[in-house]
């Protein structure tokens, strides 16, 4: 029964979900790497991007998408300057709760903006052409699925090149490995952090584009649920390193996609319990992360 | 002797504040009373969370699970028998055919909350840092999922209503005081001091013989019991409840109250709970239009914007919270005995 349902369609959808979650995981993991800050408000960046797409639905696609990128990057820079920078060096609890507050703030602002026309939700249509399906070997695949997977691969490869082949990438990795020493060795920390924040903003905008194609109805809690799942995923994968965090994000997206596609709907009511039960189990067995082999748990750092 | 005087002074602040709010609640119109009582119930909840998070320094998103379990246990068991058989038809016969009074239901909720916390705490308390945060969050998700789906133990996804509204000014005030007294007694006990030592330096605490896992488990269990109790107070205040009322938003709000007031002190927990609930109620009123010398009329939805903005602002400008993380002191009064340092926020 389950085996029969594991067709190509389910797998490709699950891979696409995993790819989008992997992009979000990179965005969250990058910022965590240099700032030691779990950014709960990351989902609201994506939400802001989605609203931008919705409000610019009448524009040409390129204009709409580039406005979306500009808005998201601007908001994430503003976040760094007004919130993250003053908080630097604070305890993780304070930083996390502050990003909670920022998340709720952005969500509340979005609600007010959204409610101007007296109903919740805006529709983003400019790029919905990507939602059409094409048939590959008898299986219908939405174009956006291919775009999502492609975008994720391209973004990850570019990121890997950026982090390993450029000076600023080297500085970023140095700052992520040991902030204080990197600073002593002359790494310009604020530049590195700005760079990281912009990168994570770019990723958020990309995710916003992909998600609005899949779900064109944008509401204030857009991407909130996905962000929570990805946060769980990156911690399960191991937040100390970017690759393990990305893998964790991909794994949890892929797993939930597969399980959702494979199980008949009336059996899925306890699915969250099973999924989160597994999460607890993994954390108990490997507190430093599922994919962090050979590294000691660094409870004190986080 | 002076140690006890100092202790009494520390307890005086939170107690006085709660009593004042309790008395004020009897002087306002019945439409406004709910805000005061709600604030008192929030005090009980935040103090419950403080018992674990504040004393151990381990972040937990799971304490609202115990509030939820307590609220539903007390709610389901106090719905009058004759209406219960009509609305909650799918319950286990034991739950369906019995109802208990108000006070027993509060005790039951505390018991179940504590037991639940003990059972899940046994494995979970081995974790710390981010892993603990995510694991306790997973606990919240699981509790919410089961309460929402399993109609043999509760109302499932529908609203549980017809719960007797017994939490008045007396019970809300006394309830908050019980939570405060319990938390205070715990943090000054041998167990509490061992846990607070492990918060400051786990390695050093272990070095002097503190069993960190066991101490965290005690605090988690006690916090669970208080949270269950607070949940019962809450359901008896509202008269009805859904699983979504004891979920993410409440988790966020109560944690924000705690951090806002000051994570590491009981005084901070009480001040934070009262400040945020007061602000929340005031802004809610201002959305309807309120007179404070001039007419203040905020657009709908701006309540959350202001609340979140003020919270973010305080956290950015004063990360150790309004109280700075220290206990209540009377300004100018000389400190007695060995100083109890206002501790740095947990790492």
């Amino acid at each position: 029964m389950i085996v029969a349902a594991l067709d190509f369609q389910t797998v490709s959808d699950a891979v696409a979900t995993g790819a989008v979650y992997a992009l979000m995981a990179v965005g969250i993991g990058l910022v965590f790497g240099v700032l030691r800050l779990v950014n709960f408000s990351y989902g609201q960046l994506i939400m802001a991007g989605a609203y931008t797409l919705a409000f610019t639905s009448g524009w040409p696609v390129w204009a709409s998408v580039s406005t979306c990128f500009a808005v998201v990057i601007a908001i994430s820079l503003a976040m760094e300057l007004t919130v993250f920078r003053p908080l630097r060096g604070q305890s993780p609890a304070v930083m996390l709760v502050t990003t909670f507050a920022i998340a709720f703030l952005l969500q509340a602002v979005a609600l007010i903006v959204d409610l101007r026309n007296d109903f919740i939700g805006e529709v983003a249509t400019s790029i919905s052409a990507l939602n059409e399906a094409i048939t590959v070997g008898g299986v219908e695949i939405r174009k956006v699925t291919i775009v999502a997977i492609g975008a994720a691969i391209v973004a990850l490869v570019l990121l890997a090149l950026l982090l390993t082949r450029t000076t600023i990438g080297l500085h970023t990795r140095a700052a992520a490995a040991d902030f204080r020493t990197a600073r002593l060795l002359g790494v310009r920390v604020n530049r590195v952090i700005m760079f990281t924040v912009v990168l994570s903003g770019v990723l958020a905008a990309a995710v916003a584009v992909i998600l609005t194609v899949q779900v064109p109805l944008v509401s204030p809690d857009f991407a909130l649920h996905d962000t929570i799942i990805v946060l769980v995923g990156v911690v399960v994968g191991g937040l100390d390193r970017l690759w393990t965090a990305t893998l964790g994000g991909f794994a949890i997206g892929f797993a939930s996609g597969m399980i959702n596609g494979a199980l008949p709907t009336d059996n899925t009511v306890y699915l969250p319990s099973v999924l989160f039960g597994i999460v607890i189990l993994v954390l108990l067995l490997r507190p430093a992360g599922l994919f962090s082999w050979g590294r000691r748990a660094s409870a004190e750092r986080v | 002797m002076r140690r006890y005087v100092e202790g009494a002074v520390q307890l005086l602040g939170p107690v006085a504040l709660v009593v004042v709010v309790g008395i004020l609640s009897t002087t306002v119109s019945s439409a406004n009373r709910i805000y005061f009582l709600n604030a008192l119930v929030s005090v009980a909840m935040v103090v419950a969370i403080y018992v674990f998070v504040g004393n151990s320094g381990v972040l937990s998103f799971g304490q609202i699970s115990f509030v939820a379990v307590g609220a539903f246990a007390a709610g389901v068991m106090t719905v009058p028998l004759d209406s219960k058989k009509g609305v909650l038809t799918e319950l286990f016969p034991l739950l369906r055919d019995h109802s208990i009074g108000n006070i027993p239901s509060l005790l039951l909720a505390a018991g179940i909350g504590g037991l639940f916390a003990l059972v899940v705490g046994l494995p979970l308390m081995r974790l710390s840092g981010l892993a603990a945060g995510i694991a306790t969050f997973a606990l919240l998700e699981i509790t919410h999922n089961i309460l929402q789906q399993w109609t043999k133990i509760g109302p499932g996804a529908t609203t549980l209503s017809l719960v007797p509204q017994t939490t008045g000014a007396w019970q809300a005030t006394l309830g908050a005081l019980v939570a405060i007294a319990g938390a205070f007694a715990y943090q000054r006990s041998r167990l509490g001091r061992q846990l607070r030592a492990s918060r400051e330096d786990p390695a050093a605490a272990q070095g002097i013989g503190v069993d960190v896992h066991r101490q965290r488990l005690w605090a988690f269990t006690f916090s669970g019991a208080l949270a269950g109790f607070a949940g019962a107070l809450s359901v008896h205040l509202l008269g009805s409840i859904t699983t979504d009322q004891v979920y993410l938003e409440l988790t966020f709000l109560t944690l924000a109250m705690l951090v806002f007031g000051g994570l590491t002190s009981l005084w901070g927990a009480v001040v934070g709970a009262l400040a945020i609930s007061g602000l929340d109620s005031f802004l809610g009123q201002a959305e309807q239009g309120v007179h404070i010398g001039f007419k203040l009329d905020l657009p709908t939805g701006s309540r959350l914007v202001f609340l979140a903005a003020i919270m973010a602002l305080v956290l950015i400008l004063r990360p150790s919270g309004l109280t700075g993380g220290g206990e209540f002191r009377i300004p100018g009064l000389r400190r007695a005995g060995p100083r109890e340092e206002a501790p740095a926020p947990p790492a």
Side-chain angles (χ1 to χ4, degrees):
Chain A
M1 160 80 215
I2 288 177
V3 177
L6 287 184
D7 51 26
F8 189 61
Q9 184 109 43
T10 313
V11 175
S12 70
D13 282 348
V15 171
T17 311
V20 174
Y21 283 13
L23 285 178
M24 291 170 69
V26 177
I28 292 169
L30 269 174
V31 170
F32 180 82
V34 285
L35 286 176
R36 298 283 133 190
L37 171 141
V38 179
N39 187 5
F40 189 82
S41 56
Y42 196 69
Q44 278 62 40
L45 286 178
I46 299 170
M47 180 267 293
Y51 267 109
T52 312
L53 289 173
F55 286 134
T56 56
S57 277
W59 301 10
V61 175
W62 63 267
S64 175
V65 170
S66 39
T67 315
C68 162
F69 273 80
V71 167
V72 175
I73 292 171
I75 296 180
S76 59
L77 279 177
M79 243 189 228
E80 145 66 12
L81 290 177
T82 59
V83 183
F84 299 168
R85 188 164 292 184
L87 277 180
R88 221 171 279 168
Q90 289 303 330
S91 78
V94 170
M95 294 206 277
L96 185 59
V97 174
T98 312
T99 61
F100 263 165
I102 298 299
F104 271 71
L105 178 67
L106 291 175
Q107 214 169 311
V109 171
L111 185 65
I112 292 179
V113 173
D114 191 330
L115 275 178
R116 283 180 315 175
N117 58 2
D118 281 335
F119 68 98
I120 295 183
E122 305 285 335
V123 184
T125 50
S126 55
I127 39 178
S128 55
L130 283 177
N131 216 7
E132 288 162 8
I134 52 172
T135 313
V136 180
V139 184
E140 290 209 331
I141 298 180
R142 293 188 295 171
K143 282 183 193 161
V144 67
T145 310
I146 302 167
V147 172
I149 299 170
I153 294 173
V154 170
L156 291 178
V157 169
L158 280 180
L159 191 74
L161 289 176
L162 202 59
L163 287 179
T164 52
R165 298 293 153 95
T166 63
T167 314
I168 186 93
L170 181 72
H171 287 179
T172 307
R173 286 189 300 139
D178 189 334
F179 198 82
R180 205 173 300 165
T181 312
R183 196 165 200 176
L184 286 173
L185 292 173
V187 170
R188 289 200 201 147
V189 170
N190 281 339
R191 253 181 58 190
V192 166
I193 290 173
M194 286 298 227
F195 171 74
T196 320
V197 166
V198 168
L199 268 188
S200 98
V202 168
L203 289 165
V207 172
V209 173
I210 295 171
L211 282 183
T212 38
V213 176
Q214 289 173 334
V215 188
L217 184 66
V218 183
S219 59
D221 60 357
F222 191 83
L224 178 67
H225 184 70
D226 302 287
T227 311
I228 292 176
I229 300 285
V230 171
L231 278 174
V232 171
V234 294
V235 173
V236 168
L239 197 42
D240 250 9
R241 278 189 296 183
L242 200 52
W243 292 116
T244 55
T246 313
L247 263 180
F250 178 81
I252 205 156
F254 182 73
S256 57
M258 288 298 281
I259 299 172
N260 258 336
L263 284 182
T265 44
D266 53 334
N267 277 2
T268 56
V269 289
Y270 289 112
L271 180 69
S273 292
V274 175
L275 203 65
F276 283 107
I278 296 173
V279 165
I280 291 182
L281 206 64
V282 169
L283 286 172
L284 286 173
L285 297 175
R286 304 195 55 81
L290 191 55
F291 305 114
S292 303
W293 297 101
R295 294 247 302 207
R296 287 185 51 226
S298 57
E300 298 319 313
R301 280 179 74 185
V302 292
Chain B
M1 183 61 206
R2 302 183 77 173
R3 193 178 138 225
Y4 292 104
V5 172
E6 195 188 21
V9 170
Q10 288 184 2
L11 193 55
L12 183 72
V15 168
L17 212 52
V18 163
V19 170
V20 167
V21 174
I23 292 173
L24 278 180
S25 76
T26 58
T27 62
V28 298
S29 69
S30 55
N32 285 334
R33 186 166 302 143
I34 183 83
Y35 296 118
F36 288 83
L37 301 186
N38 221 346
L40 291 172
V41 173
S42 307
V43 167
M45 278 183 205
V46 177
V47 166
I49 297 169
Y50 158 76
V51 165
F52 177 70
V53 177
N55 287 320
S56 74
V58 177
L59 196 58
S60 167
F61 297 107
Q63 304 313 90
I64 294 300
S65 319
F66 311 126
V67 172
V69 167
F72 276 92
V76 166
M77 289 317 288
T78 49
V79 172
L81 266 186
D82 38 346
S83 36
K84 197 168 176 175
K85 284 178 180 149
V87 272
L88 297 168
T89 47
E90 291 179 41
L91 285 185
F92 282 120
L94 179 71
L95 301 178
R96 193 186 57 211
D97 301 335
H98 299 82
S99 276
I100 56 179
N102 168 32
I103 302 298
S105 81
L106 294 176
L107 297 176
L108 175 80
I112 290 190
L115 190 67
F116 183 33
L118 178 67
V119 172
V120 296
L122 266 172
L124 286 188
M125 286 304 104
R126 302 217 166 268
L127 298 171
S128 54
L130 265 186
I134 295 293
T136 48
F137 176 77
L139 172 68
L140 178 71
E141 289 284 347
I142 292 174
T143 311
H144 177 254
N145 183 231
I146 290 177
L147 278 178
Q148 197 171 48
Q149 301 298 340
W150 200 14
T151 48
K152 283 192 182 308
I153 56 163
T158 59
T159 307
L160 175 70
S161 47
L162 302 171
V163 180
Q165 288 174 283
T166 44
T167 303
W170 268 112
Q171 280 206 10
T173 313
L174 275 180
L177 289 179
V178 165
I180 290 171
F184 190 71
Y186 170 74
Q187 78 183 26
R188 288 180 76 87
S189 71
R190 216 176 122 247
L191 299 179
R193 287 183 192 277
Q194 288 190 23
L195 184 64
R196 287 166 84 89
S198 81
R199 173 188 73 191
E200 297 308 312
D201 191 334
Q206 235 155 9
I208 56 166
V210 174
D211 183 342
V212 177
H213 174 246
R214 179 179 299 173
Q215 295 310 332
R216 283 185 181 165
L217 184 59
W218 286 136
F220 198 67
T221 306
F222 184 43
S223 165
L226 284 181
F229 174 71
L233 284 177
S234 167
V235 77
H236 285 306
L237 173 67
L238 302 170
S240 67
I241 196 163
T242 65
T243 49
D244 282 340
Q245 277 172 287
V246 278
Y247 188 40
L248 287 178
E249 203 172 314
L250 188 63
T251 302
F252 161 72
L253 200 64
T254 45
L255 267 182
M257 286 171 176
L258 184 56
V259 176
F260 185 82
L263 192 60
T264 49
S265 72
L266 178 60
W267 176 229
V270 175
V271 169
L274 289 177
I276 299 270
S277 340
L279 194 64
D280 191 26
S281 314
F282 172 74
L283 291 171
Q285 294 275 301
E287 279 185 4
Q288 317 293 324
V290 71
H291 285 278
I292 41 162
F294 57 98
K295 176 125 166 79
L296 183 65
D297 196 354
L298 299 174
T300 311
S302 54
R303 176 179 70 99
L304 282 176
V305 177
F306 277 95
L307 199 61
I310 291 171
M311 243 155 29
L313 219 57
V314 167
L315 286 166
I316 291 168
L317 299 177
R318 199 173 157 82
S320 52
L322 277 185
T323 64
E327 291 297 350
F328 177 73
R329 280 188 298 147
I330 296 173
L333 196 72
R334 212 164 56 85
R335 285 179 152 272
R339 279 173 64 94
E340 199 175 342
E341 287 286 336

